[in-house]
């Protein structure tokens, strides 16, 4: 049962990664100097890309939260303690990753906000909104490393 949940979580992770990659491509298209230089006029040009980016990153966040929930469910079953520790670390990793996606999606929401008419003000708001992004990146990295360590230290517990 736990392996079935992990397999389902991995499918959600793959779907989340795909949406994330596409959403980040939209970020590169939207957040350019040209667009920020004349925001009201340029917003018309990038609106569709910003909406698509927001939607893709929101979807990615949902997939990562789904994966986290599945890892948590698997950890709640009767499984080896090392496997349980690994599952809890994966759950925390994907909660943090979902928060990252949601944070980046909020940048698109700011870019679409018609009340923001000045590029430097938008840049500042985005910078303020993403201040915690570095902390989230570190959390994701730390949880991933800890999970890999558990996996490497106890290879007999994990199926290949």
């Amino acid at each position: 049962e736990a392996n079935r949940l992990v397999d389902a979580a991995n499918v959600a992770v793959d779907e989340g990664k795909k949406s994330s990659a596409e959403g980040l491509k939209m970020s590169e298209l939207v957040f350019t100097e040209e667009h920020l230089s004349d925001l009201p006029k340029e917003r018309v040009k990038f609106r569709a890309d910003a909406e698509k980016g927001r939607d893709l990153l929101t979807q990615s966040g949902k997939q990562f939260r789904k994966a986290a929930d599945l890892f948590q469910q698997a950890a709640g079953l009767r499984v080896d303690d090392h496997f349980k520790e690994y599952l809890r670390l994966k759950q925390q990793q994907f909660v943090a990753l979902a928060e990252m996606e949601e944070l980046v999606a909020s940048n698109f929401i700011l870019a679409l906000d018609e009340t923001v008419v000045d590029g430097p003000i938008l840049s500042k708001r985005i910078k303020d909104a993403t201040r915690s992004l570095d902390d989230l990146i570190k959390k994701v990295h730390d949880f991933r490393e800890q999970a890999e360590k558990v996996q490497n230290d106890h290879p007999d517990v994990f199926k290949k």
Side-chain angles (χ1 to χ4, degrees), residues 16-32 35 46 48-54 56-57 60 101 104-105 108:
K17 285 179 179 179
K18 192 167 103 180
S19 295
S20 178
E22 292 176 37
L24 293 175
K25 284 180 189 171
M26 294 294 105
S27 181
E28 292 171 10
L29 295 174
V30 170
F31 299 107
T32 65
H35 288 159
F46 70 68
D49 288 337
E51 289 172 347
K52 184 176 180 181
R54 176 202 59 207
L56 285 164
L57 292 172
S60 176
E101 298 297 298
V104 176
F108 286 110

Side-chain angles (χ1 to χ4, degrees), residues 3 11 71 77 79 87 90 93 97 103 112 117 119 130 141 143 156 158:
N3 286 334
V11 169
F71 284 125
L77 299 175
V79 295
L87 293 168
K90 296 303 280 184
Q93 174 188 345
L97 200 51
L103 189 59
L112 291 165
V117 294
T130 58
H141 179 74
F143 288 133
D156 53 308
F158 296 89

Side-chain angles (χ1 to χ4, degrees), residues 17 86 88-94 96-97 100 136-152:
K17 285 179 179 179
Y86 169 83
R88 287 193 176 131
L89 289 165
K90 296 303 280 184
Q91 184 260 339
Q92 292 171 316
Q93 174 188 345
F94 284 100
L97 200 51
M100 274 178 51
L136 287 169
I137 290 169
K138 184 179 179 342
K139 275 186 182 180
V140 168
H141 179 74
D142 290 348
F143 288 133
R144 183 177 49 240
E145 277 189 348
Q146 291 173 40
E148 287 173 359
K149 182 176 180 352
V150 170
Q151 195 173 25
N152 292 335

